[in-house]
Amino acid sequence: WPIEFVDRVDHPAKGRIDWIDGKTVAFHRDGRLVHNFKTSRWDLAERKAAMDAEGFDVQVLIPDNRPFLYELGDALGNAMARAFNDYAAEAVKGDGRFIPVAWLYLPDMRAAVKEMRRCVEELGIRAVKLTGGYRDCDLDEEPMWPLYEVAEHYGIPILVHPAARAFEDQT
């Protein structure tokens, strides 16, 4: 995930980015270090050079788990999802070498379904990543069904990459 998307989040608890050096940033939220990230994780020029060197034609850009956990609260979670999805769509627009993957904030299922529709219809993002279940809801439970119905309607693949629950030490 690109650090610049955090600047687009309109929420006081969005966290902050501190540059450690020219190639590493630290992401903090609630006064705690969430994780250090290398810029090569989102710098598309660096990724293209690595892809060329390794012989890859296309790369799927999957959101990192750490800033996108489901214990953020609805307002912050939805703001993070919208900002990330907007940034991802803009960053790869017109560049067929990258396939963006949306992120949704599941605890607010009505907003998650709306955001998935927006990602497909307005942003052109045709895949979504879930970081496992949320609260006491597992991925096979009925509260998830509206999301799956939208994914099926649009033929959207769903990537599931479980994340550690929030607030554990992820340094």
Side-chain angles (χ1 to χ4, degrees):
W1 58 276
I3 61 168
E4 292 91 353
F5 100 88
V6 174
D7 293 336
R8 297 173 177 219
V9 176
D10 185 22
H11 193 283
K14 67 183 179 182
R16 76 174 199 283
I17 300 291
D18 294 326
W19 282 92
I20 295 172
D21 57 35
K23 295 284 183 181
T24 309
V25 297
F27 176 58
H28 300 268
R29 185 185 294 126
D30 295 328
R32 295 182 50 178
L33 174 67
V34 175
H35 194 70
N36 292 334
F37 294 95
K38 298 286 185 192
T39 58
S40 60
R41 297 181 80 163
W42 66 84
D43 185 308
L44 298 185
E46 285 186 54
R47 285 183 170 260
K48 283 181 185 179
M51 290 165 64
D52 291 341
E54 297 293 328
F56 287 94
D57 297 322
V58 177
Q59 188 173 83
V60 177
L61 300 176
I62 302 167
D64 191 284
N65 289 344
R66 280 162 255 217
F68 298 120
L69 297 171
Y70 296 138
E71 290 87 356
L72 299 177
D74 291 354
L76 177 56
N78 290 320
M80 294 283 282
R82 282 189 305 273
F84 175 81
N85 295 332
D86 286 343
Y87 190 95
E90 289 173 25
V92 303
K93 188 174 186 169
D95 190 335
R97 295 196 69 187
F98 297 106
I99 298 170
V101 175
W103 181 78
L104 306 172
Y105 187 72
L106 295 183
D108 184 351
M109 187 54 64
R110 175 172 276 157
V113 167
K114 181 178 178 181
E115 180 64 8
M116 181 185 267
R117 288 185 188 280
R118 187 182 80 89
C119 284
V120 175
E121 295 173 2
E122 296 177 24
L123 302 179
I125 298 177
R126 308 263 329 150
V128 66
K129 175 190 175 191
L130 308 179
T131 52
Y134 64 93
R135 295 186 189 123
D136 291 330
C137 182
D138 291 326
L139 295 177
D140 63 345
E141 294 187 35
E142 190 171 345
M144 295 293 298
W145 295 356
L147 189 71
Y148 298 148
E149 290 169 1
V150 172
E152 182 178 19
H153 173 77
Y154 288 111
I156 300 293
I158 297 174
L159 167 70
V160 177
H161 188 288
R165 293 292 182 186
F167 310 122
E168 70 181 28
D169 184 10
Q170 297 185 34
T171 59

